[in-house]
mmCIF file of all heavy atoms in Angstrom:
data_model
loop_
_atom_site.group_PDB
_atom_site.id
_atom_site.type_symbol
_atom_site.label_atom_id
_atom_site.label_comp_id
_atom_site.label_asym_id
_atom_site.label_seq_id
_atom_site.Cartn_x
_atom_site.Cartn_y
_atom_site.Cartn_z
ATOM 1 N N VAL A 500 -39.769 -5.830 34.333
ATOM 2 C CA VAL A 500 -40.138 -5.645 32.928
ATOM 3 C C VAL A 500 -41.375 -6.468 32.594
ATOM 4 O O VAL A 500 -42.276 -6.015 31.889
ATOM 5 C CB VAL A 500 -38.959 -6.039 32.012
ATOM 6 C CG1 VAL A 500 -39.360 -5.883 30.539
ATOM 7 C CG2 VAL A 500 -37.735 -5.199 32.323
ATOM 8 N N ASP A 501 -41.436 -7.686 33.117
ATOM 9 C CA ASP A 501 -42.559 -8.581 32.854
ATOM 10 C C ASP A 501 -43.128 -9.041 34.201
ATOM 11 O O ASP A 501 -42.526 -9.854 34.904
ATOM 12 C CB ASP A 501 -42.096 -9.778 32.019
ATOM 13 C CG ASP A 501 -43.251 -10.699 31.632
ATOM 14 O OD1 ASP A 501 -44.418 -10.327 31.921
ATOM 15 O OD2 ASP A 501 -42.995 -11.769 31.047
ATOM 16 N N TRP A 502 -44.303 -8.525 34.569
ATOM 17 C CA TRP A 502 -44.900 -8.868 35.856
ATOM 18 C C TRP A 502 -45.403 -10.304 35.893
ATOM 19 O O TRP A 502 -45.598 -10.867 36.976
ATOM 20 C CB TRP A 502 -46.069 -7.928 36.151
ATOM 21 C CG TRP A 502 -45.627 -6.551 36.538
ATOM 22 C CD1 TRP A 502 -45.397 -5.513 35.698
ATOM 23 C CD2 TRP A 502 -45.350 -6.078 37.847
ATOM 24 N NE1 TRP A 502 -44.984 -4.409 36.401
ATOM 25 C CE2 TRP A 502 -44.962 -4.728 37.738
ATOM 26 C CE3 TRP A 502 -45.394 -6.647 39.112
ATOM 27 C CZ2 TRP A 502 -44.617 -3.944 38.836
ATOM 28 C CZ3 TRP A 502 -45.059 -5.876 40.205
ATOM 29 C CH2 TRP A 502 -44.672 -4.539 40.078
ATOM 30 N N SER A 503 -45.615 -10.905 34.758
ATOM 31 C CA SER A 503 -46.109 -12.283 34.728
ATOM 32 C C SER A 503 -44.994 -13.317 34.751
ATOM 33 O O SER A 503 -45.273 -14.519 34.787
ATOM 34 C CB SER A 503 -46.967 -12.494 33.471
ATOM 35 O OG SER A 503 -46.203 -12.296 32.288
ATOM 36 N N TYR A 504 -43.775 -12.867 34.763
ATOM 37 C CA TYR A 504 -42.656 -13.809 34.736
ATOM 38 C C TYR A 504 -42.440 -14.416 36.127
ATOM 39 O O TYR A 504 -42.308 -13.695 37.127
ATOM 40 C CB TYR A 504 -41.381 -13.089 34.285
ATOM 41 C CG TYR A 504 -40.141 -13.964 34.361
ATOM 42 C CD1 TYR A 504 -39.894 -14.934 33.395
ATOM 43 C CD2 TYR A 504 -39.236 -13.815 35.406
ATOM 44 C CE1 TYR A 504 -38.766 -15.731 33.458
ATOM 45 C CE2 TYR A 504 -38.103 -14.605 35.481
ATOM 46 C CZ TYR A 504 -37.879 -15.574 34.507
ATOM 47 O OH TYR A 504 -36.764 -16.368 34.591
ATOM 48 N N GLY A 505 -42.412 -15.743 36.180
ATOM 49 C CA GLY A 505 -42.105 -16.428 37.428
ATOM 50 C C GLY A 505 -43.044 -16.029 38.552
ATOM 51 O O GLY A 505 -44.269 -16.024 38.410
ATOM 52 N N TYR A 506 -42.434 -15.676 39.691
ATOM 53 C CA TYR A 506 -43.194 -15.313 40.892
ATOM 54 C C TYR A 506 -43.072 -13.817 41.212
ATOM 55 O O TYR A 506 -43.146 -13.415 42.363
ATOM 56 C CB TYR A 506 -42.719 -16.137 42.091
ATOM 57 C CG TYR A 506 -42.913 -17.619 41.914
ATOM 58 C CD1 TYR A 506 -41.846 -18.442 41.568
ATOM 59 C CD2 TYR A 506 -44.164 -18.192 42.068
ATOM 60 C CE1 TYR A 506 -42.024 -19.805 41.394
ATOM 61 C CE2 TYR A 506 -44.358 -19.547 41.896
ATOM 62 C CZ TYR A 506 -43.280 -20.356 41.554
ATOM 63 O OH TYR A 506 -43.459 -21.702 41.379
ATOM 64 N N VAL A 507 -42.860 -13.001 40.180
ATOM 65 C CA VAL A 507 -42.651 -11.566 40.406
ATOM 66 C C VAL A 507 -43.871 -10.941 41.071
ATOM 67 O O VAL A 507 -43.773 -10.261 42.105
ATOM 68 C CB VAL A 507 -42.332 -10.861 39.068
ATOM 69 C CG1 VAL A 507 -42.284 -9.346 39.277
ATOM 70 C CG2 VAL A 507 -41.011 -11.351 38.512
ATOM 71 N N LEU A 508 -45.032 -11.156 40.489
ATOM 72 C CA LEU A 508 -46.242 -10.550 41.048
ATOM 73 C C LEU A 508 -46.559 -11.109 42.427
ATOM 74 O O LEU A 508 -46.966 -10.367 43.336
ATOM 75 C CB LEU A 508 -47.414 -10.795 40.092
ATOM 76 C CG LEU A 508 -48.748 -10.141 40.476
ATOM 77 C CD1 LEU A 508 -48.586 -8.639 40.629
ATOM 78 C CD2 LEU A 508 -49.826 -10.468 39.440
ATOM 79 N N LEU A 509 -46.349 -12.404 42.613
ATOM 80 C CA LEU A 509 -46.615 -13.014 43.917
ATOM 81 C C LEU A 509 -45.691 -12.445 44.986
ATOM 82 O O LEU A 509 -46.126 -12.202 46.118
ATOM 83 C CB LEU A 509 -46.443 -14.533 43.819
ATOM 84 C CG LEU A 509 -46.729 -15.324 45.094
ATOM 85 C CD1 LEU A 509 -48.192 -15.132 45.512
ATOM 86 C CD2 LEU A 509 -46.414 -16.804 44.898
ATOM 87 N N ARG A 510 -44.442 -12.215 44.629
ATOM 88 C CA ARG A 510 -43.509 -11.624 45.590
ATOM 89 C C ARG A 510 -43.972 -10.239 46.031
ATOM 90 O O ARG A 510 -43.892 -9.894 47.211
ATOM 91 C CB ARG A 510 -42.112 -11.516 44.976
ATOM 92 C CG ARG A 510 -41.363 -12.824 44.843
ATOM 93 C CD ARG A 510 -39.894 -12.601 44.546
ATOM 94 N NE ARG A 510 -39.663 -12.103 43.205
ATOM 95 C CZ ARG A 510 -39.348 -10.835 42.916
ATOM 96 N NH1 ARG A 510 -39.263 -9.936 43.895
ATOM 97 N NH2 ARG A 510 -39.134 -10.452 41.672
ATOM 98 N N HIS A 511 -44.457 -9.452 45.108
ATOM 99 C CA HIS A 511 -44.920 -8.107 45.449
ATOM 100 C C HIS A 511 -46.165 -8.161 46.330
ATOM 101 O O HIS A 511 -46.308 -7.356 47.269
ATOM 102 C CB HIS A 511 -45.203 -7.316 44.180
ATOM 103 C CG HIS A 511 -43.977 -6.781 43.508
ATOM 104 N ND1 HIS A 511 -43.097 -7.590 42.809
ATOM 105 C CD2 HIS A 511 -43.456 -5.514 43.434
ATOM 106 C CE1 HIS A 511 -42.113 -6.852 42.329
ATOM 107 N NE2 HIS A 511 -42.305 -5.597 42.690
ATOM 108 N N VAL A 512 -47.068 -9.115 46.041
ATOM 109 C CA VAL A 512 -48.291 -9.214 46.846
ATOM 110 C C VAL A 512 -47.952 -9.638 48.270
ATOM 111 O O VAL A 512 -48.419 -9.041 49.253
ATOM 112 C CB VAL A 512 -49.271 -10.211 46.195
ATOM 113 C CG1 VAL A 512 -50.453 -10.470 47.128
ATOM 114 C CG2 VAL A 512 -49.769 -9.668 44.862
ATOM 115 N N ILE A 513 -47.113 -10.681 48.407
ATOM 116 C CA ILE A 513 -46.738 -11.141 49.749
ATOM 117 C C ILE A 513 -45.934 -10.071 50.475
ATOM 118 O O ILE A 513 -46.133 -9.829 51.674
ATOM 119 C CB ILE A 513 -45.933 -12.462 49.648
ATOM 120 C CG1 ILE A 513 -46.812 -13.568 49.047
ATOM 121 C CG2 ILE A 513 -45.420 -12.880 51.017
ATOM 122 C CD1 ILE A 513 -46.083 -14.875 48.845
ATOM 123 N N GLY A 514 -45.040 -9.401 49.772
ATOM 124 C CA GLY A 514 -44.235 -8.350 50.406
ATOM 125 C C GLY A 514 -45.089 -7.204 50.906
ATOM 126 O O GLY A 514 -44.900 -6.723 52.032
ATOM 127 N N ALA A 515 -46.033 -6.771 50.081
ATOM 128 C CA ALA A 515 -46.919 -5.690 50.525
ATOM 129 C C ALA A 515 -47.764 -6.126 51.714
ATOM 130 O O ALA A 515 -48.031 -5.332 52.630
ATOM 131 C CB ALA A 515 -47.812 -5.248 49.367
ATOM 132 N N SER A 516 -48.182 -7.391 51.740
ATOM 133 C CA SER A 516 -48.959 -7.899 52.885
ATOM 134 C C SER A 516 -48.129 -7.887 54.156
ATOM 135 O O SER A 516 -48.630 -7.545 55.236
ATOM 136 C CB SER A 516 -49.456 -9.311 52.577
ATOM 137 O OG SER A 516 -50.261 -9.333 51.417
ATOM 138 N N LEU A 517 -46.855 -8.254 54.061
ATOM 139 C CA LEU A 517 -45.991 -8.236 55.245
ATOM 140 C C LEU A 517 -45.757 -6.807 55.735
ATOM 141 O O LEU A 517 -45.697 -6.559 56.946
ATOM 142 C CB LEU A 517 -44.657 -8.914 54.922
ATOM 143 C CG LEU A 517 -44.722 -10.426 54.673
ATOM 144 C CD1 LEU A 517 -43.350 -10.963 54.270
ATOM 145 C CD2 LEU A 517 -45.215 -11.156 55.909
ATOM 146 N N VAL A 518 -45.622 -5.880 54.808
ATOM 147 C CA VAL A 518 -45.473 -4.472 55.210
ATOM 148 C C VAL A 518 -46.728 -3.999 55.935
ATOM 149 O O VAL A 518 -46.659 -3.318 56.971
ATOM 150 C CB VAL A 518 -45.175 -3.599 53.981
ATOM 151 C CG1 VAL A 518 -45.221 -2.118 54.356
ATOM 152 C CG2 VAL A 518 -43.814 -3.950 53.390
ATOM 153 N N ALA A 519 -47.893 -4.355 55.394
ATOM 154 C CA ALA A 519 -49.141 -3.978 56.051
ATOM 155 C C ALA A 519 -49.263 -4.629 57.424
ATOM 156 O O ALA A 519 -49.769 -4.021 58.372
ATOM 157 C CB ALA A 519 -50.327 -4.373 55.172
ATOM 158 N N LEU A 520 -48.783 -5.868 57.559
ATOM 159 C CA LEU A 520 -48.824 -6.551 58.850
ATOM 160 C C LEU A 520 -47.971 -5.821 59.887
ATOM 161 O O LEU A 520 -48.390 -5.640 61.037
ATOM 162 C CB LEU A 520 -48.341 -7.993 58.689
ATOM 163 C CG LEU A 520 -48.244 -8.827 59.971
ATOM 164 C CD1 LEU A 520 -49.616 -8.948 60.640
ATOM 165 C CD2 LEU A 520 -47.661 -10.198 59.678
ATOM 166 N N GLN A 521 -46.776 -5.364 59.488
ATOM 167 C CA GLN A 521 -45.939 -4.635 60.436
ATOM 168 C C GLN A 521 -46.571 -3.296 60.796
ATOM 169 O O GLN A 521 -46.496 -2.863 61.969
ATOM 170 C CB GLN A 521 -44.542 -4.408 59.864
ATOM 171 C CG GLN A 521 -43.637 -3.625 60.817
ATOM 172 C CD GLN A 521 -42.209 -3.571 60.371
ATOM 173 O OE1 GLN A 521 -41.783 -4.345 59.536
ATOM 174 N NE2 GLN A 521 -41.436 -2.649 60.934
#
Side-chain angles (χ1 to χ4, degrees):
V500 178
D501 184 6
W502 286 89
S503 62
Y504 174 77
Y506 299 102
V507 173
L508 184 57
L509 182 62
R510 286 194 289 105
H511 282 73
V512 172
I513 297 177
S516 301
L517 292 176
V518 172
L520 177 61
Q521 179 171 343

